[in-house]
Amino acid sequence: MTGGIEAETIHLGAYNCTDVDITGNIRTSVPMEYHGEIVAVYAQITAAPAGSGGSVLLNVELDGTNLTGGVVTIATGDAMGDNKAGTAVTASTAVFHRGTLLDVEAASPTTFTGGSFDLYARVIRKPGA
């Protein structure tokens, strides 16, 4: 529950750590189906990330604008089953409308040799368009 309103989880994709070795979008143009607000972003490690010092920062964009907060760090040393919370989501950049396009962006990657994770967002549906 968030402020008395129940949030729901949306799946933003399953990723192999070896595929997030770029700076830029790793998933693009996912249309949002309703009006709402992202209140949290997190990842679940499905296979332990491997590699010497591998890491990546993940963030969400709405219509090409970075969400303020919600940055998730994936790194070697994370264990299978770990839930990796993103930084606190703040500001109006978290509000989206039906048809808003969501992107997942990778930043500051270093090399992984294995591992995988799923990325999720917690959202609250809002009335209106």
Side-chain angles (χ1 to χ4, degrees):
M1 291 279 248
T2 303
I5 299 172
E6 190 170 336
E8 59 188 85
T9 301
I10 58 172
H11 186 239
L12 301 178
Y15 302 90
N16 289 317
C17 291
T18 55
D19 294 336
V20 296
D21 62 349
I22 61 160
T23 294
N25 290 338
I26 57 174
R27 185 165 187 198
T28 60
S29 302
V30 177
M32 302 307 287
E33 297 180 5
Y34 49 84
H35 176 59
E37 180 177 1
I38 296 174
V39 295
V41 179
Y42 69 96
Q44 178 151 25
I45 305 299
T46 53
S52 179
S55 68
V56 66
L57 303 176
L58 303 165
N59 69 287
V60 172
E61 298 175 336
L62 295 171
D63 281 341
T65 300
N66 286 337
L67 197 64
T68 303
V71 176
V72 178
T73 302
I74 305 294
T76 54
D78 293 340
M80 185 170 79
D82 282 354
N83 282 317
K84 303 288 295 184
T87 57
V89 175
T90 60
S92 61
T93 58
V95 174
F96 57 88
H97 303 278
R98 182 180 178 96
T100 294
L101 298 178
L102 180 144
D103 302 324
V104 176
E105 183 177 52
S108 303
T110 56
T111 303
F112 287 105
T113 58
S116 59
F117 60 92
D118 286 304
L119 190 65
Y120 300 92
R122 296 285 293 159
V123 300
I124 296 173
R125 290 181 188 241
K126 295 187 170 228

